[in-house]
Amino acid sequence: MTETTLSAPAKTKPRSSRPGTLALLLNNSLATGGLIVLVLICLLALAAPLLPLADPDVTAPADRLMPVFSEGHPLGTDHLGRDILSRLIWGTRVSLAVGLSATIIAAFFGSLLGLVAGYAGGRTDTLIMRGIDMVMAFPYILLALAIVAVLGPGLLNALYAIALVNIPFFARNIRGITLGLSRREFVDAARLSGKSPVQILFLEILPNVLPVIVITMSTTVGWMILETAGLSFLGLGAQPPQADLGSMLGEGRKILFTAPHVSIIPGLMIFALVMSINLFGDGVRDILDPRLRAGSLTRPVSRTAVERAVGDIPAPSEKSGVLDVRQMRTEFQIGSSVYKAVGGVDLNLAEGECLGIVGESGSGKSVTAMSIMGLVPTPPGRIVGGAAYLDGEDLFAAGDKRIRDLRGGSVAYVFQDPLSTLHPLFTVGDQLTEAITTHQPMSGSKARDKAIELLSLVRIPNARERLSAYPHELSGGMRQRVCIAMALANDAKVLIADEPTTALDVTVQSQILTLMNGLRRERNAAILFITHDFGVVSAICDRVAVMYAGRIVETGTTEDVLANPRHPYTAKLIECVPVLGEPERRLDAIEGRPPVVNNLPAGCAFADRCPRVGASCRSGEIDLEMSSDTRGVRCFFPLAPGETA
Amino acid sequence: MAAYIARRLLAAIPVLFGLTIIVFLIMAMIPGDPATAILGSYATPENVEKLNRDLGLDKSLPEQYFIWIGNLFQGDLGRSYTLNRPVLDEVMERFSATLILAGTSLILCSVFGLLAGIVSAVRQYGWADKIITLLVLIGISTPSFWLGLLLILVFAVNLRLFPASGMYAIYGGGDLPDLLHHLALPALTLSVVATGVIARLTRTAMLEVLRQDYIRTARAKGLSERKVIYKHAFKSALVGVVPVIGIQAGFVIGGAVYIETVFQWPGIGSMLVTAISTRDLLLVQGGVLVVAAAYVLFNLLADVVQTILDPRLR
């Protein structure tokens, strides 16, 4: 059995989700198929006494080993002349009963142990779990054999043995969940209201653990049927004349060469039974444990899908820049709704220039950055319009090989959280030299020298020793320096930094900013700097573009925008930045939330939160009105210089 | 690293001691009098008493345990009364045959399971994924003892490609090709379920890893998709799958009980089944102990491999 970690379901579940569960299950055709076969087999087994079957135990030596489709014996007879069809149905009855009983016994005792261990904690927990570990130190079937050896062969003893060896499996799963639940508020509340531990355990915790017990049962019952059949097959379970599917198979084995149908038929039945249970169990698990549902774990492909309409590809702008993004639109398709994360963005980046993109989370600034080199995961993302030109080359039309050459070559990325963006299992040196040799074929030792050089460039002390360090052994600031060094490995023309300082504390933040600024001047690389923080913008960016709901609402030189914000949203954002030495200044949060981009209103997306909103704001398209070469605002009622929103 | 391995080895010692206690207790719990069981119900009371004294059964349980474990350290697990030879000799001989079978199966299921899991994840929702997913479902739902019989019917009886039973040919066998010829069917049968389990887990692990930020970094570096998947993603996925392979070792060794019976492989599994039927309990005890100890050591090995792969665990 494999171990699955199951997430605890929420305490309160909306009632309306219940019919949905059944509908979901029926939607899964494999699970439905499994359920139908399972129900058929169960009905057949239950109806055994009512069916016109021959007595399964009556021997008829004259009729022995009759083949399938014989007169009166549709599935033939075995070595004692007994009717195989009748024995099959009665045997299925026994196997089902034994498998189910074993599952219920294991679930009951295992869950009880798990509940007590998880809730009591401390010494009780340690004691129970050490015992469980001890039992699990045995190979599963071996322990069952040892128990049968002690109790003696027999169907009931096999049942006990299989149930016993499955107890640890339940205990472990349930303990983990109970442990999590017992720290939740509703348990504290019950405790404070004076309920006894027993009441809390069975009235508060058990109902929440129940779905997990059901999942665990549904994933183990097939296995237990298989194992009890196995013990019977070995002659250690059902003893003659009683027969289950396993013992029928075991008896048939002796005459395998002369009459294979005697052993093939019961085996086929075990297979059908276990397969239908597994299909159904998988379906149940997918529904009760949404984290494991197939669709939630979709593998992103190596490059964002591009689905632009033919003839709808904008030409490069007249401004000659190293990176020129035109009317870029990126969407996410989740279920039936489409999220327009980037809704037509224009950006132009000159050599050596640093352009900041500012906005709240969800404004589409990261997706903008990722879209340029096709790093938005597909599914669910796709680029549906516009173009991105790197030195005049349309990146969305380039081949995969070309994009790979440009990624990390001409265009390099620095991401937000350096702990999750560096591979935890490779050393800093491995990751750096890999970045170098991917684009510049050179010998290992040369690449290492270059890596040391890069680490020194980003001011990492003892660069040579650091090469053999793993990311988790470095501080956050050091890790981000490594990421920057990696981005600089191949003399990138454009550096796209997606909130590179957000995960760092303030002093480290300013060191990293100084470092990036210095590198930009030394190497004349252009930087696209994504951030939500105007303080950071003022420290490094020449120009800034403010994004809201997937569109640029204001753009201009940093000084201009900071001194005289024209869009009410920009003004509000700037007000959010605390100013040193002005503790009495009110920090205004912007009321309301950014709109969800799957259902954008017509007109200005900020209208609902805007203090200056007018009737005209809620309809039609509002253009980015350019007042000069660099300055533009997407607003009908822009602020006059000095005015506050 | 060496310090870590030493630490893990030390930590395994109490587990091994725990195993001896459990095995000892299971055997001590057997209802009835072992001496009567050995001598038969017609034994005279004097003889029973003498044998009880010889076996040390007149002493207290802890005393019996310490005598037993003392003998164990000297390599004495008692004598099998049905085979009339030292338990340890028989167990070791049988265990080496099981190791050949289970070891081969474990290699097969690791290789095929990992490969199938990767292909399934990389071709998610494609034809290869659907076929593998279906095969995996069929694999983990098939009773291995039945599959063994089917394979014998097809490949040994009808096609005459492989022998139906045994470890070596009776006449003129005994070399490596002969062993491999006999090994093919049982090893394949034994590996089916574990292959399915490993494939399933590898698929999930790969899908989970492929969504990580560091995979995006690898792509942003301009690595080829092959390097992204087989170097960066696979290494992370392997960290999660290695302990599962360790657990599967237990299922493979356990499953060997069926397969050895079906293919009459002279391993410890078929020995145990016979010993249980003939109530040769010292043999059962010795067999269970050796296999359980091997399983503990194997899981230890899996732990060490996992630690080598993942520096954060050190």
Side-chain angles (χ1 to χ4, degrees), chain A residues 72-393:
Chain A
H73 301 289
L75 293 179
T77 56
D78 69 1
H79 60 295
L80 294 175
R82 296 173 292 194
D83 182 53
I84 291 182
L85 177 66
S86 165
R87 286 178 68 73
L88 185 73
I89 292 173
W90 284 96
T92 306
R93 210 173 137 92
V94 176
S95 283
L96 263 177
V98 171
L100 278 178
S101 317
T103 310
I104 290 168
I105 294 173
F108 180 79
F109 288 104
S111 305
L112 198 64
L113 281 174
L115 279 168
V116 171
Y119 183 72
R123 205 170 290 170
T124 318
D125 182 32
T126 313
L127 199 70
I128 293 177
M129 292 324 286
R130 282 293 146 265
I132 297 284
D133 285 349
M134 216 62 247
V135 174
M136 284 188 112
F138 281 91
Y140 181 93
I141 300 161
L142 193 75
L143 189 60
L145 278 183
I147 294 166
V148 173
V150 172
L151 300 176
L155 191 57
L156 261 187
N157 294 344
L159 190 162
Y160 295 145
I162 295 297
L164 201 72
V165 296
N166 272 293
I167 286 177
F169 185 63
F170 281 91
R172 272 201 168 182
N173 261 350
I174 304 305
R175 173 191 170 262
I177 308 228
T178 309
L179 199 63
L181 284 172
S182 61
R183 292 191 190 128
R184 294 265 285 270
E185 299 80 3
F186 71 92
V187 174
D188 286 337
R191 213 174 280 145
L192 290 174
S193 74
K195 284 188 178 159
S196 71
V198 175
Q199 278 175 315
I200 295 175
L201 207 51
F202 290 100
L203 298 178
E204 301 292 330
I205 295 180
L206 184 63
N208 286 291
V209 175
L210 219 48
V212 181
I213 299 179
V214 173
I215 295 174
T216 316
M217 281 175 79
S218 71
T219 52
T220 47
V221 63
W223 188 256
M224 295 209 213
I225 289 177
L226 214 56
E227 290 311 314
T228 40
L231 288 181
S232 288
F233 170 78
L234 295 174
L236 305 175
Q239 302 296 313
Q242 188 187 35
D244 69 350
L245 294 170
S247 65
M248 286 174 69
L249 191 51
E251 284 171 17
R253 183 172 83 86
K254 292 161 196 147
I255 44 171
L256 178 68
F257 298 149
T258 48
H261 69 282
V262 181
S263 40
I264 287 178
I265 291 169
L268 209 55
M269 184 55 123
I270 301 176
F271 170 68
L273 195 57
V274 176
M275 179 94 176
S276 63
I277 290 173
N278 283 343
L279 282 172
F280 177 63
D282 283 358
V284 170
R285 190 200 53 199
D286 284 356
I287 286 159
L288 292 186
D289 193 358
R291 231 167 31 85
L292 293 173
R293 194 177 300 162
S296 70
L297 273 182
T298 308
R299 171 186 116 80
V301 297
S302 63
R303 188 178 166 194
T304 314
V306 178
E307 292 166 15
R308 295 184 295 185
V310 190
D312 188 27
I313 299 168
S317 63
E318 294 91 55
K319 291 176 225 164
S320 60
V322 53
L323 182 68
D324 188 31
V325 176
R326 301 276 295 143
Q327 284 303 307
M328 183 169 74
R329 288 186 287 128
T330 305
E331 295 179 353
F332 292 92
Q333 172 104 38
I334 294 162
S336 55
S337 41
V338 173
Y339 293 79
K340 293 177 177 165
V342 180
V345 162
D346 293 304
L347 295 171
N348 192 286
L349 200 54
E351 228 172 73
E353 188 184 30
C354 179
L355 170 64
I357 300 185
V358 193
E360 291 169 281
S361 41
S363 61
K365 53 193 193 308
S366 282
V367 180
T368 302
M370 297 304 151
S371 298
I372 294 170
M373 289 314 284
L375 288 172
V376 176
T378 297
R382 58 175 196 261
I383 295 165
V384 292
Y389 296 98
L390 181 74
D391 281 334
E393 180 183 4

Side-chain angles (χ1 to χ4, degrees), chain A residues 538-550:
Chain A
S538 63
I540 188 166
C541 297
D542 304 317
R543 284 192 301 124
V544 59
V546 181
M547 270 189 89
Y548 189 76

Side-chain angles (χ1 to χ4, degrees), chain B residues 100 104 167-169 172-184 265:
Chain B
I100 292 175
T104 312
M167 189 165 167
Y168 292 106
D175 51 358
L176 188 62
D178 184 40
L179 174 65
L180 293 178
H181 196 211
H182 281 79
L183 188 59
W265 188 265

